[in-house]
């Protein structure tokens, strides 16, 4: 979308980075629908959103900073509330 391209250019990020971010977000969205992975994916996405938070903070985009922060906090809450699922997933992987 043109406004996304303009934003990434304004932030000084290469256009390939925009596609990488989009791919990670799409795979993350798919992962949220896989019950066994959803808690882990939520935690990962909450950490991934830290990049957006820092970008909006550096560029003083306060309204988008709030949006990115709410998304990150919500994703972290979802992941934290399912931490037993994450533990079980890692335990199963070690076997």
């Amino acid at each position: 979308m043109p406004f996304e391209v303009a934003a990434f250019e304004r932030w000084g990020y290469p256009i390939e980075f925009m596609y990488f971010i989009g791919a990670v977000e799409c795979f993350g969205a798919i992962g949220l629908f896989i019950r066994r992975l959803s808690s882990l994916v939520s935690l990962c996405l909450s950490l991934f959103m830290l990049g957006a938070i820092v970008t909006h903070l550096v560029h003083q985009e306060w309204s988008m900073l709030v949006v990115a922060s709410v998304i990150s906090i919500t994703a972290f809450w979802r992941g934290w509330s399912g931490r037993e699922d994450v533990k079980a997933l890692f335990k199963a992987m070690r076997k």
Side-chain angles (χ1 to χ4, degrees):
M1 292 195 233
F3 69 91
E4 287 294 335
V5 173
F8 274 77
E9 288 174 351
R10 183 176 66 248
W11 298 327
Y13 297 137
I15 197 70
E16 295 82 14
F17 188 61
M18 180 186 76
Y19 290 112
F20 171 74
I21 297 293
V24 170
E25 289 175 347
C26 287
F27 284 120
I30 293 167
L32 290 173
F33 288 104
I34 301 171
R35 184 161 174 73
R36 187 171 183 156
L37 298 177
S38 65
S39 296
L40 178 60
V41 170
S42 293
L43 286 173
C44 292
L45 287 174
S46 72
L47 295 175
F48 190 70
M49 287 302 295
L50 293 178
I53 290 169
V54 169
T55 296
H56 296 308
L57 186 62
V58 167
H59 293 277
Q60 300 178 357
E61 298 173 343
W62 308 121
S63 61
M64 292 308 297
L65 173 65
V66 170
V67 171
S69 297
V70 168
I71 292 169
S72 183
I73 291 167
T74 303
F76 182 79
W77 172 80
R78 169 59 187 99
W80 184 258
S81 66
R83 63 189 175 278
E84 294 303 319
D85 296 336
V86 175
K87 288 179 189 176
L89 179 62
F90 282 126
K91 189 175 181 180
M93 289 172 54
R94 280 189 256 155
K95 290 182 180 183

